[in-house]
Amino acid sequence: MIKDRILVFIPMYNCEPQITRVLNQFNEEVSDYIEEVIIVNNRSTDKGEETAINYAKQMKNVKVNVLRNDNNYGLGGSHKVAFNYALDNRFDYVIVLHGDDQGNIHDILPLLKSKDYQNYDCCLGARFMKGSKLSGYSKFRTFGNRVYNWVFTLATKKRIYDLGAGLNLYKTKMLKSRFYLKFSDNLMFNCYMLLANATYKFNVKFLPITWREDDQVSNVRLFSQAFRTLKIALFYFLSFRKHEFLEKDFRDNTQINDYTAKVINK
């Protein structure tokens, strides 16, 4: 039986205390389904890159490459680096696992074992659906996320359970046109990906996950992000031509022609 080529992408920005815990998730059971792991360092200012390289040398179960973005592209920009890498190297699937150790790749292991992921274009972790477990997440933020999930549900006419958790799986075939390149380079990237799922009629599965917050440092400006998120949903809802809406350039810096990174631990 031909085995799917699965890449795991770990975005990293100042995750020195957490990155080894994330890599430690790749035990023999998980690694059996993974061909390669790439850690995309978005120009961290701590020693996370050095820590990741040193730990990767000890890993025997899976191939790990550490990439350093040529510039600070933001979280969305790091996704573009990884998606391009997956397409250019002909992977079948790419899994996103955030480098701050809030999510756990074992939550997606049942899908890998059953191969149920093959029935969908993307499988998205959802912190707020039935069966999920939250630890250290405030009730205020939980309530706000649930409200915005329904805002996007109304805007897209598709049930949305999470606007963007740190554990997602994408079939690279859905990314082939590279429609994502003009999406926002910041934290809003996942919101545009949800709009693309609805517009291009991708087959999506949400799955409950575990999520915890203890020593992570959030880069989210809560109220400014809430306003920007609402604005995105409203503009999409009011747009008569959804495809044309998504073809706009939503980046703050439209001068970036290539999202490039170098492998630094060969």
Side-chain angles (χ1 to χ4, degrees):
M1 184 178 294
I2 298 175
K3 191 174 182 179
D4 286 324
R5 301 189 64 215
I6 300 179
L7 172 74
V8 173
F9 151 55
I10 301 176
M12 180 177 71
Y13 181 76
N14 291 349
C15 298
E16 181 184 353
Q18 299 91 16
I19 191 61
T20 55
R21 300 203 306 257
V22 176
L23 291 175
N24 198 44
Q25 295 180 22
F26 292 86
N27 58 20
E28 187 173 350
E29 183 182 27
V30 172
S31 299
D32 188 51
Y33 298 93
I34 308 302
E35 180 170 326
E36 182 179 347
V37 175
I38 59 170
I39 302 168
V40 179
N41 176 23
N42 190 40
R43 314 299 292 193
S44 296
T45 58
D46 63 2
K47 294 183 179 180
E49 180 177 281
E50 180 182 348
T51 301
I53 291 174
N54 289 334
Y55 195 85
K57 291 177 181 177
Q58 307 171 33
M59 297 179 65
K60 306 298 182 183
N61 295 327
V62 65
K63 174 183 177 182
V64 180
N65 276 323
V66 179
L67 283 66
R68 182 192 300 149
N69 287 345
D70 290 348
N71 292 287
N72 186 323
Y73 297 132
L75 179 61
S78 291
H79 275 73
K80 297 173 187 181
V81 169
F83 287 172
N84 288 344
Y85 187 96
L87 288 167
D88 294 341
N89 291 280
R90 300 184 179 182
F91 283 93
D92 299 306
Y93 295 86
V94 54
I95 296 174
V96 182
L97 174 67
H98 282 195
D100 57 7
D101 194 37
Q102 290 182 294
N104 194 317
I105 198 168
H106 286 80
D107 288 335
I108 213 165
L109 191 56
L111 286 181
L112 300 180
K113 288 182 175 180
S114 67
K115 296 190 180 298
D116 189 39
Y117 67 92
Q118 296 177 338
N119 298 317
Y120 302 93
D121 294 306
C122 57
C123 301
L124 307 179
R127 295 163 292 179
F128 310 103
M129 71 182 300
K130 185 178 180 180
S132 294
K133 297 178 181 178
L134 295 176
S135 176
Y137 208 80
S138 72
K139 292 182 179 180
F140 175 74
R141 292 178 65 189
T142 299
F143 173 77
N145 274 277
R146 292 185 184 277
V147 169
Y148 273 83
N149 290 342
W150 278 108
V151 169
F152 268 72
T153 295
L154 294 173
T156 60
K157 299 179 182 179
K158 300 288 184 180
R159 184 69 171 93
I160 304 296
Y161 290 95
D162 202 317
L163 297 189
L167 181 62
N168 298 312
L169 180 148
Y170 297 94
K171 182 182 292 185
T172 52
K173 187 179 292 186
M174 72 172 279
L175 305 170
K176 190 174 181 180
S177 68
R178 308 196 190 220
F179 60 83
Y180 52 82
L181 287 175
K182 291 185 178 180
F183 290 171
S184 174
D185 289 331
N186 57 31
L187 296 171
M188 298 293 101
F189 179 82
N190 280 322
C191 292
Y192 289 105
M193 288 295 292
L194 289 173
L195 299 183
N197 290 339
T199 303
Y200 303 137
K201 301 187 184 305
F202 293 131
N203 190 13
V204 180
K205 176 183 178 69
F206 285 94
L207 64 143
I209 61 174
T210 55
W211 193 260
R212 66 187 184 87
E213 290 193 359
D214 42 38
D215 61 348
Q216 293 85 0
V217 178
S218 177
N219 294 310
V220 176
R221 293 183 177 88
L222 195 60
F223 292 103
S224 63
Q225 184 181 1
F227 176 75
R228 297 179 73 174
T229 303
L230 183 61
K231 186 177 177 181
I232 292 169
L234 180 61
F235 282 8
Y236 178 83
F237 178 75
L238 295 176
S239 175
F240 290 104
R241 296 180 175 86
K242 309 299 187 187
H243 285 77
E244 291 183 10
F245 174 84
L246 283 182
E247 290 171 1
K248 297 177 182 178
D249 198 327
F250 297 101
R251 301 172 297 166
D252 294 327
N253 183 2
T254 59
Q255 303 302 313
I256 302 176
N257 295 317
D258 297 299
Y259 291 84
T260 51
K262 295 180 178 65
V263 178
I264 59 173
N265 70 316
K266 285 188 177 180

